[in-house]
Amino acid sequence: MRLLVSLFWALSFVYSPASGQSTADSKRRSVVDQRKAVTQAAVLYVGIREEGQNRGKPYELFMKPYGYGPGSLWCGLFCHHVFVTASVKHGVKGPAIAANWSLPVSVIVWRNNRPVNGRVPLAGDLALFRFKSKRINHVEVIVNWPSNENYCWVIGGNTSNPNGSGEGVFLKQRLKSEMIVVSRITF
């Protein structure tokens, strides 16, 4: 129940149209609609758990359809699948590798706990982390970025359960200072 309340809270203030935002025509969804579709697609998978290490339902959904075997790291594949589910093109080459979600460098909007060129992360952007490594090795979808807080809400695959039991797809509160970079897919 606590997870559902957190999820509702995280998503409840995400979508307010930006001033001057163009409206979608019948052939192209607006940027706001695409961001909303990405975050809604991520929410669909919250609670899916691994059976064994990187196996089970995550293998069937996020690895196998893209040619990866059981046991593969799948945080980047989860993000790729979210964009596919949302029918939003991301253009990331080699999306299975977490660090590739920060290429090219021009897509970076947040680095080392600071905005880049005055840009603020938004729902639908990607948070990249370096856990116990010298390289970026994890990526998650941002679903809420409170401007006046030191944390944000993300949904990630191949991540630990916030209550400490098992791995899977979970909604998590993350400190903004933990993120190496935040990248923005050009919608």
Side-chain angles (χ1 to χ4, degrees):
M1 184 64 174
R2 183 176 174 195
L3 177 65
L4 291 175
V5 170
S6 296
L7 184 59
F8 173 76
W9 181 86
L11 295 175
S12 61
F13 300 102
V14 172
Y15 308 107
S16 57
S19 176
Q21 177 67 49
S22 62
T23 59
D25 61 33
S26 61
K27 295 184 179 183
R28 186 178 185 301
R29 292 185 293 173
S30 73
V31 171
V32 170
D33 289 342
Q34 290 180 68
R35 287 184 171 285
K36 187 175 182 178
V38 167
T39 56
Q40 287 175 338
V43 169
L44 293 174
Y45 302 106
V46 171
I48 290 176
R49 295 176 153 221
E50 293 180 358
E51 298 165 20
Q53 187 174 11
N54 298 348
R55 288 170 165 68
K57 189 80 168 170
Y59 165 69
E60 295 294 325
L61 289 171
F62 312 124
M63 294 175 254
K64 185 177 179 181
Y66 306 109
Y68 290 84
S72 299
L73 299 177
W74 55 277
C75 63
L77 292 169
F78 167 74
C79 292
H80 173 69
H81 189 76
V82 163
F83 277 78
V84 168
T85 301
S87 298
V88 174
K89 294 181 181 178
H90 58 69
V92 174
K93 306 261 189 274
I97 299 170
N100 289 354
W101 288 88
S102 66
L103 300 173
V105 174
S106 63
V107 302
I108 295 174
V109 298
W110 183 267
R111 181 189 304 273
N112 299 324
N113 208 24
R114 289 189 169 77
V116 173
N117 296 326
R119 296 180 288 184
V120 177
L122 301 168
D125 287 343
L126 290 298
L128 291 93
F129 303 89
R130 181 174 47 221
F131 295 124
K132 300 178 186 175
S133 174
K134 292 182 180 184
R135 301 182 60 187
I136 290 171
N137 60 1
H138 189 67
V139 60
E140 298 176 331
V141 177
I142 295 172
V143 293
N144 185 288
W145 185 276
S147 60
N148 58 346
E149 300 292 346
N150 66 349
Y151 64 87
C152 69
W153 291 92
V154 295
I155 295 176
N158 201 26
T159 192
S160 60
N161 188 337
N163 74 15
S165 64
E167 299 251 337
V169 178
F170 299 103
L171 171 71
K172 297 178 93 167
Q173 184 178 358
R174 295 269 196 199
L175 291 174
K176 294 174 182 177
S177 60
E178 288 182 297
M179 297 167 196
I180 302 304
V181 297
V182 172
S183 67
R184 174 159 301 148
I185 298 304
T186 305
F187 293 97

